Amino acid sequence: MHSVLRKETPDFVLFTGDTLTGNNIDSNATSYWKYVLSPCLQHNIPWAHLFGNHDDLSQRAGDRLTLLQFDRTFNLSHSVIGPSLLPGVTNYFIPIYGENSDEVRAVIYTLDSGGGQIPEQITKDQISWLLQAYYINMQVYGPVPSILSFHIPPPEFQDLFNMGQCTGSLNNTIEPLPSDDLYETILEMPLVYLVTTGHYHENDYCCPIKNQLLCQGRHSGYGGYSNVDRGSRIVQFEEDKLKTWIRMESGQVKDYLEIKY
């Protein structure tokens, strides 16, 4: 992370789940959480978190709500505790303001795809909430570009990759994620120009469909399985287009794509 943050100097970091391998933690999970935040703290870069399927498996102070409440004690955190009636915790959105402006220029949406102490799923209620937030924000902020992020991708992402028009690699087979028309819902949200997911450590593809990019990875940390080279997906909003690429720990840039609004 230090290497990528030094080279990219981003305005914001979004942690896309499995920040911790909680099942390997037998002490207070929040101390490990703070350690993971240290690159953002040292570089003074704000962040937000969404949960994966391993974060909440520690037996000490490691449940989803406790971890996110701890995260929110830091001034640089923009994580949000989502609606209590929805499964999971990290179902929320973040408006992104223009530089030196009070005008919203983009929106980040997140969903909690579960796992760990709760079922792996994205439910009909979560999708209904997402669509409601999307259409309300369209009225409030106008047709600003958006991205959507959740940890576990649906199997349709692999179907897209197999069509042969994607950048990057798919080395881990995508298992079905129980969800109610998630993929179809994404295609009905044209202002969501990019979807980014995690979960499979050795995948870092990005697939175009219509005027959207459906992406995964790249694995940034040194925890969990896999010995692939580390890196991070970078997303850049511009006036008339969205850009994305992978910045490797080595400094290499790969798999550049852009999509016009």
Side-chain angles (χ1 to χ4, degrees):
M1 281 187 64
H2 282 292
S3 174
V4 171
L5 295 181
R6 281 194 297 268
K7 292 178 174 66
E8 291 288 346
T9 62
D11 298 307
F12 193 77
V13 171
L14 180 64
F15 293 88
T16 56
D18 285 0
T19 302
L20 302 181
T21 307
N23 36 306
N24 292 340
I25 296 175
D26 57 7
S27 58
N28 194 320
T30 54
S31 61
Y32 290 89
W33 193 270
K34 184 176 181 180
Y35 178 75
V36 173
L37 297 176
S38 61
C40 288
L41 290 168
Q42 291 179 35
H43 293 272
N44 198 37
I45 298 172
W47 71 79
H49 276 272
L50 61 95
F51 284 121
N53 57 308
H54 287 282
D55 296 295
D56 68 352
L57 290 174
S58 171
Q59 298 304 306
R60 292 191 60 193
D63 64 274
R64 274 168 151 75
L65 186 57
T66 298
L67 287 172
L68 205 65
Q69 287 173 333
F70 175 74
D71 184 85
R72 284 165 50 82
T73 64
F74 295 90
N75 290 335
L76 289 171
S77 172
H78 288 257
S79 301
V80 177
I81 296 172
S84 60
L85 295 179
L86 295 179
V89 174
T90 50
N91 304 288
Y92 62 87
F93 66 87
I94 303 171
I96 305 298
Y97 292 85
E99 187 175 8
N100 301 317
S101 169
D102 59 0
E103 182 181 359
V104 172
R105 305 301 299 272
V107 180
I108 298 173
Y109 296 92
T110 74
L111 291 173
D112 193 327
S113 56
Q117 295 185 24
I118 64 175
E120 292 184 4
Q121 61 179 356
I122 291 179
T123 66
K124 185 176 295 185
D125 286 342
Q126 287 172 280
I127 291 174
S128 294
W129 169 85
L130 174 64
L131 283 171
Q132 182 181 41
Y134 172 81
Y135 286 115
I136 289 174
N137 287 340
M138 192 186 304
Q139 292 178 338
V140 174
Y141 304 134
V144 297
S146 305
I147 67 171
L148 167 64
S149 186
F150 47 91
H151 184 66
I152 305 176
E156 290 91 347
F157 279 35
Q158 180 162 316
D159 297 337
L160 280 177
F161 186 88
N162 291 337
M163 293 171 62
Q165 298 181 7
C166 307
T167 63
S169 302
L170 191 151
N171 297 309
N172 301 140
T173 301
I174 297 177
E175 301 296 331
L177 170 72
S179 63
D180 293 290
D181 300 324
L182 173 61
Y183 178 72
E184 291 78 8
T185 300
I186 291 169
L187 300 184
E188 294 173 4
M189 302 169 68
L191 295 179
V192 174
Y193 289 96
L194 182 140
V195 179
T196 183
T197 62
H199 192 51
Y200 298 100
H201 297 187
E202 297 179 340
N203 296 349
D204 68 352
Y205 57 83
C206 214
C207 299
I209 180 169
K210 297 185 177 179
N211 202 41
Q212 295 172 300
L213 297 172
L214 308 186
C215 308
Q216 191 176 5
R218 179 151 184 137
H219 186 43
S220 300
Y222 278 82
Y225 67 89
S226 138
N227 291 314
V228 298
D229 294 336
R230 269 51 181 182
S232 297
R233 178 165 297 284
I234 310 301
V235 178
Q236 182 168 305
F237 291 103
E238 296 193 353
E239 285 293 331
D240 61 343
K241 58 182 171 290
L242 178 147
K243 298 178 178 179
T244 185
W245 60 90
I246 299 290
R247 169 70 75 169
M248 303 300 293
E249 183 180 27
S250 66
Q252 176 193 4
V253 173
K254 62 189 289 283
D255 300 337
Y256 173 89
L257 288 169
E258 65 177 53
I259 190 165
K260 290 190 178 296
Y261 304 146

